[in-house]
């Protein structure tokens, strides 16, 4: 590894640094030189036996994302079932306060659970946090699925939301802290793409059961909610605990064993294991705020932590308020205008839309370490602005009021088809640029001591944003119509400016190396600084060149 003194004593020319056949000059993040050095010395392979064991651990963690995705798609699907609406006395054609409360009670449970998620994950560990949350979800499902009245159904949904809040904190924390340092972007970015692995069955299972007569058509999809949570309950106790949690609880030997097995191919002295261990010793305190369930000061007690918390809350609102829901508000009218009127066909199209979005999210996760976090945020928001402009144009010229029914309808089939296509494109672009980052970016910018509670705060902010989407969007569209889209154009423009000036780049650094970015001023500029290093075969980084490069966006 290159020492601090060695980094200062540099200045070789490009020609001299390329004298050897196996010598190369690479550009790396200014704070990521040590990681680049250790990676070049160790040359980790993603195809070893121990790496596949690590993939299994991360797979169990990603099932927590599936849980959330399944419910998110499920309720939207079964809410259209006449049998479900009749059973609970809902109107067959109109939304009522009761249907709104059914959605809201899950969100309320999630908000309340956000305050328990951090302490549970800090006190008992990341894997037991996943276990506790998943167990609560199983209990909630067992109450909700056989409901004989609306009160029982809502109690089940509240408990379900409470459990999901805990898994939404423990799951990403586990994935980021267990991920191999050389592949953290991909391994953690994949976490949130598994929302669609829950969302797709949450659409297709109701599609399949929609033809079943009686109440089984909606009860069966609800019972299936136990599948992913049940897998977590069965598997989580046998997973290794994350090395960072073990270090924070003064269990250094166990932490070294975990890192050696999953990051060093069994070798405690491997360069990556030694780098991680040293950085954890320097950064993680055994008396930190994570040991005090009531202490949330670590989120706000310094300029550094306030900046980190600001980014976490910003991600929560940007992820929900970029227009994800409103973009398809007139979807039913467009489907009708395109001649798609049956509930069965609409569910089928909704299922295909989930598949397209999942493809986008997967591509984004694969390339997140190559593209970088900032470019993905900026490009996806820019595309959202463009699509909203196009959709406003289509709605302004295509939506008319039917004189017979007094309801809005589409007058042009080609324009209706065009808007449906843009909704699919929007889903693909936003999923590619934002879905992998919604879990990855918050856990990266949070310090260990505040990571679990910070993810609880992230979940709380997300649900506040969702609460607005659920109850305000419909009212706003009723009053302003398609002109409400103008708000999202200007909001997304503000988001783009906010991201450009305040979002730091986090790729190609260990979680501990990110601390250097947040200390002091000019955080965005420091996160974009690059340095050229000389890599000489298995010796790793042998020199750091004088030339320093700043990369925009």
């Amino acid at each position: 590894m290159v020492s601090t003194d060695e980094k200062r004593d540099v200045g070789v020319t490009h020609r001299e640094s390329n004298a050897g056949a196996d010598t190369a000059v690479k550009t790396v993040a200014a704070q990521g030189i040590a990681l680049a050095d250790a990676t070049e010395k160790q040359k980790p392979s993603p195809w070893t036996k121990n790496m596949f064991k690590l993939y299994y651990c991360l797979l169990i963690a990603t099932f927590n994302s599936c849980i959330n995705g399944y419910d998110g798609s499920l309720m939207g699907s079964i809410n259209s079932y006449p049998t479900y609406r009749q059973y609970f006395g809902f109107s067959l054609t109109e939304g009522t306060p009761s249907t709104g409360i059914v959605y809201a009670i899950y969100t309320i449970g999630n908000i309340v659970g956000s305050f328990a998620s951090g302490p549970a994950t800090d006190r008992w560990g990341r894997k037991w946090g996943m276990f506790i949350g998943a167990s609560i979800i199983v209990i909630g499902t067992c109450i909700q699925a056989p409901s004989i009245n609306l009160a029982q159904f809502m109690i089940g949904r509240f408990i379900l939301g409470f459990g999901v809040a805990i898994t939404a904190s423990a799951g990403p924390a586990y994935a980021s802290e267990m991920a191999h340092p050389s592949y953290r972007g991909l391994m953690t970015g994949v976490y949130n793409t598994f929302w669609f692995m829950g969302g797709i069955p949450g659409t297709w299972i109701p599609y399949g059961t929609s033809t079943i007569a009686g109440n089984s058509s909606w009860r069966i999809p609800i019972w299936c909610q136990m599948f992913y949570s049940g897998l977590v309950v069965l598997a989580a106790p046998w997973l290794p605990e994350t090395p960072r949690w073990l270090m924070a609880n003064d269990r250094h030997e166990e932490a070294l064993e975990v890192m050696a097995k999953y990051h060093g191919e069994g070798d405690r002295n491997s360069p990556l294991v030694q780098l991680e261990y040293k950085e954890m010793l320097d950064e993680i305190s055994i008396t930190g705020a994570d040991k005090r369930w009531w202490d949330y000061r670590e989120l706000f007690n310094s300029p550094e932590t306030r900046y980190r918390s600001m980014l976490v809350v910003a991600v929560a609102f940007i992820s929900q308020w970029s227009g994800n829901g409103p973009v398809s508000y007139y979807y039913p009218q467009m489907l009708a205008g395109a001649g798609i009127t049956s509930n069965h066909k609409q569910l089928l199209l909704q299922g295909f839309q989930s598949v397209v979005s999942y493809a986008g999210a997967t591509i984004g996760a694969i390339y997140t370490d190559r593209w970088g976090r900032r470019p993905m945020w900026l490009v996806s928001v820019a595309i959202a602005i463009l699509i909203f402009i196009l959709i406003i144009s289509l709605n302004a010229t295509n939506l008319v009021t039917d004189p017979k029914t007094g309801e809005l309808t589409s007058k042009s089939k080609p324009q209706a088809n065009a808007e449906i296509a843009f909704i699919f494109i929007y889903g693909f672009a936003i999923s590619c640029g934002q879905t992998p980052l919604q879990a990855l970016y918050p856990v990266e910018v949070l310090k260990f001591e505040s990571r679990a509670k910070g993810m609880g705060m992230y979940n709380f902010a997300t649900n506040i944003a969702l609460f607005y989407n659920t109850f305000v969007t419909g009212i706003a569209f009723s009053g302003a119509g398609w002109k409400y889209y103008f708000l999202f154009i200007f909001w997304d423009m503000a988001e783009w400016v906010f991201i450009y000036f305040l979002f730091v780049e986090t790729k190609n650094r260990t979680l501990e190396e990110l601390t250097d970015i947040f200390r002091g001023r000019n955080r965005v500029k420091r996160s974009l600084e690059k340095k050229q290093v000389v890599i000489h075969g298995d010796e790793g980084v042998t020199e750091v060149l004088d030339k320093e490069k700043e990369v925009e966006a």
Side-chain angles (χ1 to χ4, degrees), residues 302-323:
S302 70
E304 174 191 345
T305 56
R306 286 192 291 272
Y307 196 96
R308 292 173 183 263
S309 295
M310 176 270 292
L311 291 178
V312 171
V313 173
V315 170
F317 282 96
I318 288 171
S319 298
Q320 302 305 323
W321 283 1
S322 292

Side-chain angles (χ1 to χ4, degrees), residues 150-172:
L150 185 58
Q152 181 180 344
F153 193 84
M154 291 175 64
I155 291 170
R157 285 197 59 72
F158 177 88
I159 294 173
L160 198 74
F162 190 95
V164 166
I166 298 176
T167 61
S169 174

Side-chain angles (χ1 to χ4, degrees), residues 453-504:
K453 292 186 178 103
M455 288 306 292
M457 178 181 67
Y458 171 74
N459 192 58
F460 176 82
T462 297
N463 279 282
I464 295 297
L466 284 171
F467 203 83
Y468 174 93
N469 288 348
T470 301
F471 290 98
V472 177
T473 299
I475 297 171
F477 272 112
S478 297
W482 56 264
K483 297 181 183 68
Y484 185 51
Y485 282 129
F486 279 111
L487 173 64
F488 289 94
I489 291 176
F490 292 116
W491 173 261
D492 285 352
M493 287 179 176
E495 282 184 356
W496 194 94
V497 173
F498 186 91
I499 291 167
Y500 184 84
F501 287 105
L502 294 173
F503 271 38
V504 300

Side-chain angles (χ1 to χ4, degrees), residues 49 123 267 388 392 399 481 521:
K49 181 179 179 180
R123 173 66 179 84
D267 182 7
F388 270 122
I392 278 183
L399 283 174
R521 299 177 181 272

Side-chain angles (χ1 to χ4, degrees), residues 223-542:
W223 278 117
C224 290
Q225 212 157 21
M226 284 201 307
F227 177 72
Y228 289 117
S229 53
L231 290 176
V232 174
V233 168
L234 293 174
W238 313 107
L239 296 178
E241 187 51 81
T242 72
R244 287 171 174 84
W245 187 86
L246 293 170
M247 291 286 288
N249 287 271
D250 205 19
R251 293 159 63 176
H252 292 200
E253 281 299 310
E254 293 175 66
L256 272 170
E257 286 179 12
V258 172
M259 286 188 285
K261 180 176 181 179
Y262 295 101
H263 299 171
E265 296 300 324
D267 182 7
R268 287 188 173 205
N269 294 314
S270 70
L272 284 169
V273 171
Q274 286 300 307
L275 171 65
E276 288 185 286
Y277 183 67
K278 179 183 180 299
E279 290 181 340
M280 289 180 200
L281 278 175
D282 292 340
E283 292 292 330
I284 297 176
S285 170
I286 62 173
T287 59
D290 54 302
K291 313 300 184 303
R292 301 181 291 277
W293 64 267
W294 47 267
D295 191 354
Y296 281 78
R297 289 174 299 177
E298 187 67 29
L299 293 170
F300 311 106
N301 62 1
S302 70
E304 174 191 345
T305 56
R306 286 192 291 272
Y307 196 96
R308 292 173 183 263
S309 295
M310 176 270 292
L311 291 178
V312 171
V313 173
V315 170
F317 282 96
I318 288 171
S319 298
Q320 302 305 323
W321 283 1
S322 292
N324 316 38
V327 72
S328 56
Y329 186 80
Y330 291 112
Y331 201 39
Q333 287 86 349
M334 296 306 110
L335 292 174
I340 302 169
T341 56
S342 76
N343 183 56
H344 198 63
K345 286 184 178 179
Q346 288 180 4
L347 286 173
L348 179 64
L349 199 59
Q350 186 178 344
F352 280 121
Q353 188 177 356
S354 295
V355 173
V356 170
S357 295
Y358 176 59
T362 302
I363 292 171
I366 291 172
Y367 287 98
T368 184
D369 274 337
R370 181 175 299 179
W371 294 339
R373 291 26 160 186
R374 275 172 54 89
M376 289 175 68
W377 283 117
L378 291 168
V379 172
S380 63
V381 172
I383 291 173
I385 294 169
L386 176 62
I387 290 178
F388 270 122
I389 292 171
L390 294 171
I391 287 179
I392 278 183
S393 303
L394 290 169
N395 282 328
T397 57
N398 191 35
L399 283 174
V400 294
T401 302
D402 190 323
K404 296 180 180 179
T405 63
E407 296 181 355
L408 287 173
T409 185
S410 168
K411 67 179 182 181
S412 169
K413 184 174 181 178
Q415 284 186 255
N417 284 327
E419 184 163 338
I420 292 170
F422 281 129
I423 291 170
F424 270 71
I425 294 169
Y426 177 93
F428 179 89
I430 288 294
S431 297
C432 183
Q434 295 191 12
T435 298
L437 303 181
Q438 288 169 4
L440 169 62
Y441 199 74
V443 294
E444 285 185 327
V445 301
L446 288 164
K447 293 177 65 175
F448 174 83
E449 287 82 359
S450 58
R451 187 164 292 134
K453 292 186 178 103
M455 288 306 292
M457 178 181 67
Y458 171 74
N459 192 58
F460 176 82
T462 297
N463 279 282
I464 295 297
L466 284 171
F467 203 83
Y468 174 93
N469 288 348
T470 301
F471 290 98
V472 177
T473 299
I475 297 171
F477 272 112
S478 297
W482 56 264
K483 297 181 183 68
Y484 185 51
Y485 282 129
F486 279 111
L487 173 64
F488 289 94
I489 291 176
F490 292 116
W491 173 261
D492 285 352
M493 287 179 176
E495 282 184 356
W496 194 94
V497 173
F498 186 91
I499 291 167
Y500 184 84
F501 287 105
L502 294 173
F503 271 38
V504 300
E505 182 55 67
T506 59
K507 72 169 185 173
N508 297 333
R509 303 161 175 91
T510 66
L511 292 174
E512 286 70 33
E513 285 172 344
L514 291 169
T515 298
D516 183 59
I517 291 174
F518 290 100
R519 287 175 177 160
R521 299 177 181 272
N522 300 318
R523 297 176 178 93
V524 174
K525 181 179 179 180
R526 280 210 304 279
S527 76
L528 297 174
E529 287 175 355
K530 304 286 184 181
K531 288 193 175 182
Q532 289 188 327
V533 297
V534 179
I535 296 172
H536 190 81
D538 294 336
E539 296 178 26
V541 176
T542 56

Side-chain angles (χ1 to χ4, degrees), residues 165-183:
I166 298 176
T167 61
S169 174
Y174 185 90
S176 67
E177 292 175 10
M178 276 296 295
H180 195 286
S182 300
Y183 307 105

Side-chain angles (χ1 to χ4, degrees), residues 88-165:
F88 291 113
F90 301 146
S91 169
L92 296 180
T93 57
E94 297 178 358
T96 65
S98 296
T99 57
I101 291 172
V102 168
Y103 280 92
I105 198 68
Y106 174 86
T107 303
I108 293 170
N110 218 298
I111 290 173
V112 175
S114 298
F115 294 98
S117 60
T121 306
D122 279 336
R123 173 66 179 84
W124 289 288
R126 298 351 187 184
K127 72 172 185 178
W128 289 109
M130 294 191 294
F131 175 84
I132 293 168
S135 298
I136 294 172
I137 292 168
V138 170
I139 294 170
T141 303
C142 290
I143 294 172
Q144 180 187 359
S147 295
I148 59 174
N149 54 47
L150 185 58
Q152 181 180 344
F153 193 84
M154 291 175 64
I155 291 170
R157 285 197 59 72
F158 177 88
I159 294 173
L160 198 74
F162 190 95
V164 166

